Amino acid sequence: MSATLHRNPPFRAEHLGSLLRTEALLKKRAEVNAGKAPKSELTAIEDQDIKDVVKLQKELGYSAITDGEYRRHMFWGSFFPGLEGFTQIDKPDPGMFRPYMPDVAAFMESKMEPGETVVCTGKIKHVGSTYVDQFKYLASLVPPEEVKNIKITLAAPNWYHMRYKEGVAYPKEVYSSDEEYFGDIAKAYQEELRILYEAGCRNVQYDDPNLAYFCSEKMIEGWFADPLNKGTPEDLLDKYIKLYNDCLANRPADLHVGVHLCRGNFVNSRHFSEGGYDRIATKLFKSLNVDTYYLEYDTPRAGGFEPLKELPKHKNVILGVVTSKFGTLEDKEEMKKRVLSAAEFIAAGNNETAQEALARCGVSPQCGFASHHEGNAINREDMIKKLKLVREIANDLWPGEP
């Protein structure tokens, strides 16, 4: 990756992609899922709601507009089920999962199935994008000169590996090793990015709570207690960073790539893990070949800003200091102080001024408002207030910048 700073995108005021759905959309999706309404009725509501939420984002002053992930049940969308070689399991056996992975542990505690479950059952091959039509519809709603700014969110390439016990993610008769399996995952993502780029996409964001799980002491303890595991958590993190870099190996220089880390964002604002970025900061910031990090920073469970000393001069960070989980509105001046404090740490790590470091920063909510389509414990009015607050913080810290 070129050591050149990528700007606009990212922008000073960002959000993380998912926005609260309307009651009409939720009701119709439930009807379609129950076989009580045709998919065409849901699509019509999605189309109109996306038009409305694009208008809202423009009115609030956002440039990296998304479709709110309104066509998705969960934030990761449909990438893996759309690949040849993956099979969806409707009633997964709890024994196939690593029970100490934070999201799996939370699901098991609540006696819920751990989200959509797909596993590799054959050779992996990209056979058509499940994202590109979402992008094209969103692009049709903005002027041509703004298409390069809109953002599409992508599933993390490690999503259906980390949660499964050793030996479950793929059959040994299909792939002999993680490296071979990841090689085909990377090829699939290279093809996905090629298709999106040819459609005009220039701004993508990988959503990856898994990377933050490496910050969790409970996860690490569970890893070492699992006799099936091979290697250390650090070894696995290295594999995932290489996987990302291989996925991005062929990307054009003008395709902005970011990665979002959080500690979980489920129904009713449930979080899954805790732990600061200290444990992974050097590898995360120096080895992962992305342009921008969208980091959760709304509560003490995300730790302090000290790890940002590792952020290189050619990379950006968007500081998620405003929570998307609850409606209580943060104090704007306090949030500005937090952003400025973060810039001090970045500056200290790069032998530069805080103002120079601030030039590589932006601000956002800490996560989406509806990573699961049912949404967080926050109403639409409060969501809009949060988005306005983020924009106001950005206006004060970076006057006149998008």
Side-chain angles (χ1 to χ4, degrees), residues 34-36 110-111 122 187 189 297 312:
K36 296 179 180 179
S110 57
K111 295 181 169 58
K187 289 176 185 175
Y189 268 97
Y297 261 123

Side-chain angles (χ1 to χ4, degrees), residues 25-43 45-46:
L25 193 157
L26 292 173
K27 181 180 178 183
K28 186 59 65 176
R29 176 164 287 139
E31 291 175 358
V32 170
N33 290 342
K36 296 179 180 179
K39 180 74 182 324
S40 59
E41 292 183 5
L42 175 61
T43 300
I45 293 176
E46 289 171 344

Side-chain angles (χ1 to χ4, degrees), residues 282-338:
T282 300
K283 291 180 179 179
L284 178 70
F285 296 136
K286 296 190 184 300
S287 300
L288 186 63
N289 291 339
V290 299
D291 302 299
T292 299
Y293 300 88
Y294 303 86
L295 300 183
E296 176 184 60
Y297 261 123
D298 63 324
T299 68
R301 66 173 167 264
F305 294 129
E306 291 87 348
L308 295 176
K309 290 180 178 179
E310 302 294 330
L311 186 77
K313 287 188 176 183
H314 64 283
K315 294 186 177 184
N316 307 282
V317 62
I318 307 300
L319 299 159
V321 295
V322 173
T323 193
S324 64
K325 285 181 164 58
F326 304 105
T328 302
L329 201 63
E330 290 83 353
D331 179 84
K332 183 175 73 169
E333 295 305 316
E334 285 301 313
M335 295 305 101
K336 286 162 57 178
K337 288 178 183 176
R338 295 204 68 209

Side-chain angles (χ1 to χ4, degrees), residues 93-167:
D93 178 355
M96 67 188 290
F97 300 97
R98 287 175 165 133
Y100 45 87
M101 287 303 158
D103 59 321
V104 174
F107 285 123
M108 288 182 173
E109 286 171 13
S110 57
K111 295 181 169 58
M112 295 177 66
E113 290 183 10
E116 173 191 77
T117 298
V118 298
V119 295
C120 172
T121 53
K123 284 290 185 182
I124 297 164
K125 184 179 179 183
H126 193 284
V127 289
S129 173
T130 59
Y131 288 133
V132 71
D133 286 344
Q134 296 175 21
F135 173 80
K136 286 180 178 178
Y137 183 74
L138 179 61
S140 75
L141 303 178
V142 302
E145 65 272 15
E146 294 179 14
V147 170
K148 67 182 186 301
N149 299 334
I150 63 177
K151 180 165 66 175
I152 187 164
T153 55
L154 308 177
N158 54 42
W159 189 251
Y160 288 111
H161 181 270
M162 189 171 182
R163 57 175 25 195
Y164 299 143
K165 285 183 178 177
E166 178 68 30

Side-chain angles (χ1 to χ4, degrees), residues 260-276:
H260 166 53
L261 277 70
C262 75
R263 286 145 190 79
N265 197 46
F266 197 57
V267 180
N268 291 322
S269 301
R270 175 71 186 264
H271 77 278
F272 296 139
S273 70
E274 299 187 3

Side-chain angles (χ1 to χ4, degrees), residues 216-264:
S216 166
E217 295 295 338
K218 285 181 67 175
M219 188 283 283
I220 291 167
E221 289 173 9
W223 177 276
F224 283 117
D226 184 346
L228 295 177
N229 286 332
K230 300 174 181 177
T232 67
E234 287 74 19
D235 295 332
L236 187 63
L237 178 60
D238 288 340
K239 287 184 179 182
Y240 288 167
I241 289 174
K242 183 180 186 304
L243 170 59
Y244 264 104
N245 292 345
D246 289 345
C247 290
L248 301 172
N250 299 329
R251 65 153 166 153
D254 62 340
L255 176 62
H256 169 260
V257 178
V259 63
H260 166 53
L261 277 70
C262 75
R263 286 145 190 79

